[in-house]
Amino acid sequence: MSDIDMKQTRAESNEQRTTTTVGETEEELQSEWSAYEFDGQTKISVSDLDVYYGSDQALRGVSMDIPEKSVTALIGPSGCGKSTFLRCLNRMNDRVSSARVEGSVTLDGEEIYQDGVNLVELRKRVGMVFQAPNPFPKSIRDNIAYGPRKHGDIDTGLLARLLGDANPEEEEDLIQRSLRQAALWEEVSDRLDDNALGLSGGQQQRLCIARCLAVDPEIILMDEPASALDPIATSKIEDLIESLAQEYTVVVVTHNMQQAARISDQTAVFLTGGELVEYDDTDTIFEDPNSQRVEDYITGKFG
Ligand SMILES: Nc1ncnc2c1ncn2[C@@H]1O[C@H](COP(=O)(O)OP(=O)(O)OP(=O)(O)O)[C@@H](O)[C@H]1O
Ligand SMILES: [Mg+2]
């Protein structure tokens, strides 16, 4: 389609839009608004995802493909289902007894909603970082080593020492590597045995990211990872997210539009009712969205 044709189509669809009294437009969702095409490999593919909590529906027919090694931002007003969507990607909603998930999510083409999926293994591949930093009340070292010890990737616990297969060098390497990747090493290298709760909020959040990286995930889900932090700590997390995308597939929920615009490659906009309204290159979403509702949301007319 030529540029002129495209402008004409947009102008026509603009005419069809009718604004309600609350400023929200009644517009038909169009599947092409969320049919995002990209060059890279698909890492995660979601189709026709519906999620219910009891009889309330939190997500409606969401379909989207997420490219590997990139940052995908999820934005939208409170309650539109962003956290619910994120939790579907590593089956964390399984822990919510009232939640019912229908539809399909594949990782590298393999369905995660099928019998026999090892959830421990799945959550190792798909790590998660939450809004409030939640380090364990243990040393910095133990926070990082916890996952690899649990998964048996390193053995330095008492049993391993008794059996003679403790591997302190391997653990030291892993701790250093994870903290470096999370841009925290310089700040904590001389206090690895101090309690993690003594770190600042921003440092705690980077520790949680390091803890997530230590089990060697492929995908990192982040639910508003910087919303509790000051601007300097936030900018460190943002830089970190961008650098992580060279190796990992990062999916991040944020309420901060500028943040989404700064750090993400593609942006998915969910709106009230749990619908994915539009999904495209971040530049397109912020500069030239197809949906009037998305434009209104982004320019702050409603939320
Ligand atoms: N455990 C739960 N039990 C019942 N309802 C829930 C549960 N978690 C979420 N919901 C409901 O599902 C809908 C989507 O919630 P969700 O937390 O996914 O929204 P969100 O987009 O992450 O919002 P916010 O931006 O405020 O974090 C909301 O109506 C919410 O009340
Ligand atoms: Mg949320």
Side-chain angles (χ1 to χ4, degrees):
M1 211 193 271
S2 75
D3 268 355
I4 295 170
D5 284 344
M6 233 142 73
K7 284 213 177 82
Q8 210 156 16
T9 314
R10 268 199 94 203
E12 277 162 18
S13 63
N14 269 325
E15 273 164 24
Q16 288 161 9
R17 290 168 179 157
T18 49
T19 307
T20 65
T21 47
V22 290
E24 194 171 342
T25 50
E26 290 180 68
E27 60 182 11
E28 289 275 311
L29 285 189
Q30 301 189 14
S31 53
E32 64 265 30
W33 292 351
S34 56
Y36 172 55
E37 282 175 18
F38 48 82
D39 293 333
Q41 283 282 328
T42 299
K43 186 71 186 173
I44 306 168
S45 180
V46 176
S47 1
D48 298 321
L49 189 70
D50 292 315
V51 178
Y52 303 82
Y53 294 106
S55 55
D56 295 332
Q57 191 165 3
L59 285 179
R60 283 166 209 275
V62 174
S63 297
M64 68 187 280
D65 286 349
I66 296 177
E68 69 167 5
K69 297 186 184 171
S70 64
V71 180
T72 304
L74 308 179
I75 63 171
S78 184
C80 69
K82 305 177 298 294
S83 299
T84 298
F85 179 81
L86 213 56
R87 288 197 300 265
C88 286
L89 304 182
N90 67 353
R91 291 189 53 176
M92 290 280 273
N93 283 322
D94 287 22
R95 294 181 181 174
V96 180
S97 58
S98 67
R100 197 171 88 243
V101 178
E102 288 172 5
S104 156
V105 177
T106 64
L107 288 193
D108 293 332
E110 213 167 304
E111 180 62 51
I112 66 167
Y113 284 94
Q114 61 176 324
D115 293 343
V117 170
N118 180 335
L119 294 184
V120 174
E121 190 58 30
L122 174 67
R123 289 172 194 148
K124 186 180 165 191
R125 289 177 68 193
V126 190
M128 194 152 187
V129 174
F130 299 88
Q131 177 174 14
N134 58 348
F136 305 128
K138 295 168 179 279
S139 69
I140 293 171
R141 176 192 305 283
D142 285 349
N143 265 274
I144 307 286
Y146 177 86
R149 282 179 192 160
K150 192 171 94 179
H151 291 290
D153 296 338
I154 49 171
D155 279 318
T156 49
L158 181 62
L159 188 64
R161 282 201 293 279
L162 289 173
L163 293 172
D165 56 2
N167 197 337
E169 293 86 27
E170 205 180 319
E171 172 171 295
E172 215 52 44
D173 283 354
L174 182 83
I175 287 171
Q176 185 171 147
R177 191 171 65 240
S178 306
L179 288 169
R180 278 192 194 283
Q181 271 185 301
L184 186 59
W185 174 252
E186 309 292 331
E187 289 160 66
V188 302
S189 58
D190 57 350
R191 52 196 279 211
L192 295 180
D193 293 308
D194 289 4
N195 195 306
L197 299 181
L199 297 172
S200 75
Q203 289 171 331
Q204 288 188 15
Q205 192 63 308
R206 278 176 286 145
L207 178 66
C208 292
I209 294 172
R211 184 175 68 189
C212 171
L213 296 174
V215 295
D216 198 23
E218 296 160 36
I219 297 165
I220 305 171
L221 310 175
M222 300 188 174
D223 200 346
E224 302 183 53
S227 64
L229 305 177
D230 72 30
I232 292 173
T234 297
S235 114
K236 284 192 183 164
I237 298 282
E238 288 184 3
D239 291 347
L240 177 57
I241 290 172
E242 287 190 274
S243 72
L244 289 175
Q246 291 168 13
E247 273 185 73
Y248 304 92
T249 304
V250 183
V251 186
V252 58
V253 170
T254 177
H255 272 129
N256 181 328
M257 305 281 180
Q258 287 80 18
Q259 181 170 80
R262 274 194 298 268
I263 65 175
S264 69
D265 300 293
Q266 53 277 332
T267 297
V269 190
F270 290 75
L271 290 176
T272 311
E275 287 168 320
L276 171 61
V277 178
E278 199 164 339
Y279 176 41
D280 213 323
D281 280 326
T282 295
D283 291 346
T284 307
I285 292 289
F286 284 96
E287 284 159 25
D288 190 20
N290 278 305
S291 156
Q292 185 64 42
R293 287 164 76 200
V294 168
E295 186 163 326
D296 287 353
Y297 176 66
I298 282 164
T299 54
K301 288 199 191 125
F302 81 97

